[in-house]
Amino acid sequence: MKGAIFDVDGTLLDSMSIWTKADAIYLARHNITATEELSRLFFNMTLEKSIAYMHDELHIPDSPATIKHDILKIVEDFYEHEVELKEYMYDIIQALKAKHIPLVIATSNTKSIIEKALSRLNVLDDFVYILTCDEAGVDKTTPAIYLKAAQYTNSSPDQTFVFEDALHGASSAKEGGFKVVGIFDEYSKDYKHELKAIADYYLESEEDYQYFLQHI
């Protein structure tokens, strides 16, 4: 293998929880308790729809722009000060580096937020580039972002690992001819079996990770 592309949220970073907690933290500041039903509702909404619901249905007096700013600030603070690498990811990064395999990030998140997190975790310099969906002009429903990311590794898809926890991202990478490394995450567990079926490697247990580390 001559290249590796990493998704961030749920793959490289143990960060998916903040996208459900941020709404609850924000609502608590307005003396509103986020019930399990309300949290589930927000989880299935886009950020914009969640903000509209807060403003129109929960009667938060702040403007939608202010609500968005405050929620994103909660998220940004989490990445800057709290988020951790997923277990064994540091070992994988170092193992790939030892084989002189260039590493690139492909993410739908914001570059500045990712840079702050990876810098604090001392792995930012291990990646040659961070490619966002906004920069690439595409989302992860097609192979395009992975193909663009592979340009930074100078590797062809069949020589490139794509690490993904999301089924739609893994499916797109597979469609593009990449070698998919599926990563278990609690927030995508409902699609575990589908992801495992398309992945060339699937990493969930310590044994899975050790096997992968021994065979890359």
Side-chain angles (χ1 to χ4, degrees):
M1 304 304 288
K2 296 184 178 180
I5 299 168
F6 286 80
D7 168 58
V8 174
D9 295 302
T11 297
L12 191 62
L13 297 180
D14 192 8
S15 53
M16 293 301 294
S17 63
I18 190 58
W19 296 102
T20 55
K21 291 179 181 177
D23 292 331
I25 293 170
Y26 175 79
L27 290 176
R29 293 176 180 177
H30 291 269
N31 299 313
I32 298 174
T33 300
T35 63
E36 183 177 340
E37 181 181 358
L38 190 57
S39 295
R40 186 163 53 249
L41 180 67
F42 286 141
F43 184 75
N44 292 314
M45 287 181 173
T46 64
L47 177 59
E48 286 69 25
K49 288 184 177 179
S50 296
I51 290 169
Y53 188 93
M54 291 179 189
H55 185 266
D56 299 337
E57 304 297 330
L58 300 181
H59 308 295
I60 299 293
D62 296 338
S63 69
T66 299
I67 296 173
K68 182 175 183 178
H69 173 272
D70 291 349
I71 290 176
L72 290 179
K73 184 64 168 62
I74 291 169
V75 171
E76 184 175 353
D77 286 346
F78 172 77
Y79 279 86
E80 186 171 0
H81 302 292
E82 297 183 46
V83 74
E84 297 293 340
L85 288 168
K86 292 282 288 284
E87 193 172 12
Y88 307 113
M89 276 299 156
Y90 183 81
D91 294 336
I92 286 179
I93 290 169
Q94 299 310 312
L96 293 171
K97 277 184 57 186
K99 293 181 177 293
H100 306 289
I101 296 174
L103 315 181
V104 172
I105 283 173
T107 179
S108 57
N109 208 327
T110 304
K111 182 176 288 191
S112 61
I113 290 177
I114 298 305
E115 287 176 336
K116 288 178 181 179
L118 298 187
S119 177
R120 177 175 57 81
L121 296 167
N122 298 314
V123 294
L124 178 61
D125 292 340
D126 294 330
F127 294 89
V128 298
Y129 199 75
I130 297 174
L131 179 65
T132 67
C133 289
D134 283 345
E135 179 183 343
V138 293
D139 59 22
K140 290 189 173 183
T141 59
T142 74
I145 189 168
Y146 304 106
L147 294 170
K148 290 177 182 290
Q151 295 175 8
Y152 294 95
T153 68
N154 294 315
S155 58
S156 61
D158 64 315
Q159 298 173 316
T160 308
F161 289 126
V162 171
F163 293 78
E164 271 283 1
D165 71 299
L167 180 61
H168 70 281
S171 298
S172 295
K174 193 71 172 180
E175 180 184 343
F178 291 89
K179 298 295 185 183
V180 173
V181 184
I183 304 296
F184 174 81
D185 188 76
E186 186 67 25
Y187 285 82
S188 56
K189 65 181 179 182
D190 290 346
Y191 308 102
K192 168 184 172 178
H193 297 295
E194 292 91 334
L195 178 57
K196 192 172 184 178
I198 67 170
D200 296 276
Y201 294 90
Y202 184 76
L203 309 184
E204 179 179 5
S205 65
E206 180 179 357
E207 291 76 14
D208 295 334
Y209 279 92
Q210 293 303 327
Y211 179 87
F212 181 76
L213 286 168
Q214 292 168 9
H215 289 83
I216 57 176

